[in-house]
Amino acid sequence: MDLLNTLVDKGLRRELPTREEALAVLATSDDELLDVVAAAGKVRRQWFGRRVKLNYLVNLKSGLCPEDCSYCSQRLGSKAEILKYTWLKPEEASQAAAAGVAGGAKRVCLVASGRGPTDRDVERVGKTIEAIKEQNEGIEVCACLGLLSDGQAEKLREAGADAYNHNLNTSEATYGQITKTHTYADRVDTVEKAHAAGLSACSGLIAGMGETDEDLVDVVFSLRELDADSVPVNFLIPFEGTPLAKEWNLTPQRCLRILAMARFVCPDVEVRLAGGREVHLRSLQPLALNIVNSIFLGDYLTSEGQAGQADLDMIADAGFEVEGAGTTTLPAHRSDAAAAAGGGCGSGGGASLCGSGAGAASDADAAGCGSACGGCSGHAHAEAAPVAAQPAQAEPGALRSDLVAVRRRGAGTDIAPNA
């Protein structure tokens, strides 16, 4: 297939595909799906081998967010029956993080609901970062606290943060349909602040919110221009009690095409399979490992993932290996540039471009989360709740609450996590 040969050649050279080529990936047929996965796999192996980086979410503060993001179970007015609690103490967060590290996680992602942190919140998170790093040598820490004010990214960097997550979520053209309490430009500004402070930029998207193929290509091209080191690809978890509760638009096949398109556009960055993978990819999750090089271990922010051991078994059974703490995630041309710029972590620093020809500046959940807030998914915890048998494709507009397991364990509860 000429299209795929062209995309592989460009990916191996870090050359940006055309928008038409990216759209063509999303338009491929099911008969061509394995060819698409194989082609994306060639690019993935060129830059990341067969390594899979594990990330672990710790939800520092859950629920009661003043923002109105339509996809989020923590949003203003949400009727989703999720856990709600205020800030975890540093020692509590460190204990929660230890469960993920014990399961093989290389990065801990600290997430807090809200529009953005106060300076006092930043100090609080700084102490949490210090506590985690004291107990876990070599662990990367990514903060995800919402919109940043001037100077806050620098304070997080001084406290030991390696990265900052703030997702673009969707295209600039449709952003106003999803969120009205802040703008796409606000998100761009926060990612730029993180970059300028020397933090590795983590910024991704949420698919399945009713967007078009053009929207998906727009947001991934914006992420390339933004020069994010990590690109989490989330799939909407339609929580009951949120405006997008009936948006069951994804199939496993479409999810794989979206992941492949992201890999072709950003060939040498950490493409992370994030929230909603268990719900939408289901039995095809192992195939996705041929495209992505990073996943979240265990649960998410407000929804349960599959058990941490099941994630580890899946990686091993698919012929991949967990990336060790002593391994630099990003290829040398990105990680070396990051080190020269004095920023970033083992995952890269945010200085070099996603590929030759990338530009600058573009965006990222009012309380974001690299894992998606497909309803603000979340964090790792005890044995996974069983998931009911599922048809291959949901009826458009049908409620599928049988597939959404709301998190009831881990940080903020008395029940141990499942990692």
Side-chain angles (χ1 to χ4, degrees):
M1 189 174 178
D2 289 343
L3 169 67
L4 296 179
N5 290 334
T6 297
L7 288 169
V8 169
D9 288 343
K10 287 186 174 184
L12 300 183
R13 298 194 303 266
R14 296 185 292 129
E15 183 180 334
L16 182 68
T18 66
R19 297 180 62 81
E20 291 71 24
E21 289 166 342
L23 285 166
V25 172
L26 298 178
T28 53
S29 68
D30 287 350
D31 289 341
E32 298 166 315
L33 183 62
L34 290 180
D35 293 330
V36 172
V37 172
K42 291 180 181 178
V43 178
R44 180 244 202 268
R45 290 192 300 276
Q46 165 73 16
W47 302 113
F48 302 98
R50 300 191 71 81
R51 294 176 284 116
V52 178
K53 180 177 180 178
L54 299 182
N55 306 267
Y56 188 81
L57 282 161
V58 176
N59 200 3
L60 297 178
K61 182 165 73 79
S62 182
L64 307 175
C65 182
E67 302 299 286
D68 69 351
C69 307
S70 300
Y71 50 80
C72 188
S73 59
Q74 304 186 77
R75 73 188 297 272
L76 179 68
S78 171
K79 293 180 173 53
E81 297 181 356
I82 61 168
L83 290 169
K84 298 180 178 66
Y85 54 84
T86 190
W87 292 94
L88 297 181
K89 295 182 175 65
E91 57 271 22
E92 293 172 327
S94 181
Q95 183 178 11
V101 175
K106 181 175 177 178
R107 172 177 287 191
V108 173
C109 304
L110 302 176
V111 187
S113 62
R115 178 178 178 85
T118 64
D119 288 344
R120 182 181 178 187
D121 293 336
V122 170
E123 291 179 10
R124 186 198 319 264
V125 174
K127 292 177 181 176
T128 298
I129 294 170
E130 292 170 4
I132 290 172
K133 292 209 164 188
E134 283 178 5
Q135 297 297 317
N136 303 283
E137 185 177 354
I139 288 299
E140 300 171 9
V141 176
C142 178
C144 178
L145 312 174
L147 301 172
L148 294 177
S149 301
D150 290 344
Q152 291 183 329
E154 287 78 6
K155 290 179 181 177
L156 289 168
R157 178 77 177 126
E158 291 168 6
D162 300 288
Y164 195 83
N165 165 257
H166 202 56
N167 292 331
L168 291 181
N169 291 333
T170 191
S171 70
E172 183 174 14
T174 59
Y175 194 82
Q177 300 172 30
I178 299 298
T179 304
K180 299 191 184 306
T181 49
H182 62 271
T183 67
Y184 186 89
D186 291 332
R187 291 185 174 271
V188 173
D189 179 65
T190 285
V191 179
E192 289 177 334
K193 282 183 168 70
H195 250 155
L199 292 168
S200 178
C202 174
S203 188
L205 65 141
I206 303 173
M209 298 192 290
E211 70 282 335
T212 64
D213 285 0
E214 288 76 11
D215 289 323
L216 288 169
V217 170
D218 282 349
V219 67
V220 175
F221 269 63
S222 293
L223 290 165
R224 162 116 180 195
E225 293 174 358
L226 183 61
D227 189 27
D229 289 321
S230 306
V231 175
V233 180
N234 303 284
F235 301 109
L236 177 72
I237 301 175
F239 272 87
E240 286 192 84
T242 65
L244 299 183
K246 294 185 178 182
E247 293 290 338
W248 289 94
N249 304 308
L250 297 170
T251 65
Q253 294 83 0
R254 179 159 175 79
C255 291
L256 288 170
R257 292 186 191 97
I258 292 168
L259 292 170
M261 186 269 288
R263 172 58 72 198
F264 289 132
V265 175
C266 290
D268 60 340
V269 308
E270 180 186 339
V271 177
R272 186 180 309 154
L273 179 56
R277 64 178 166 93
E278 300 88 348
V279 172
H280 295 292
L281 276 164
R282 302 191 285 277
S283 61
L284 295 192
Q285 287 183 74
L287 264 184
L289 295 178
N290 290 280
I291 304 171
V292 305
N293 64 294
S294 178
I295 66 170
F296 280 98
L297 179 71
D299 294 347
Y300 303 97
L301 294 178
T302 62
S303 68
E304 292 180 359
Q306 64 188 24
Q309 187 58 52
D311 288 337
L312 298 176
D313 292 342
M314 176 180 72
I315 291 168
D317 291 348
F320 293 87
E321 60 185 21
V322 173
E323 181 175 292
T327 302
T328 300
T329 301
L330 294 180
H333 62 272
R334 290 187 67 85
S335 54
D336 290 349
C345 53
S347 183
S352 84
L353 297 176
C354 175
S356 54
S362 227
D363 160 85
D365 187 358
C369 83
S371 137
C373 286
C376 268
S377 316
H379 175 120
H381 314 274
E383 67 276 12
V387 177
Q390 308 150 17
Q393 184 171 357
E395 192 69 29
L399 285 173
R400 298 297 307 283
S401 57
D402 56 310
L403 303 187
V404 179
V406 176
R407 185 171 74 77
R408 290 285 181 262
R409 60 198 183 200
T413 78
D414 295 327
I415 305 175
N418 69 349

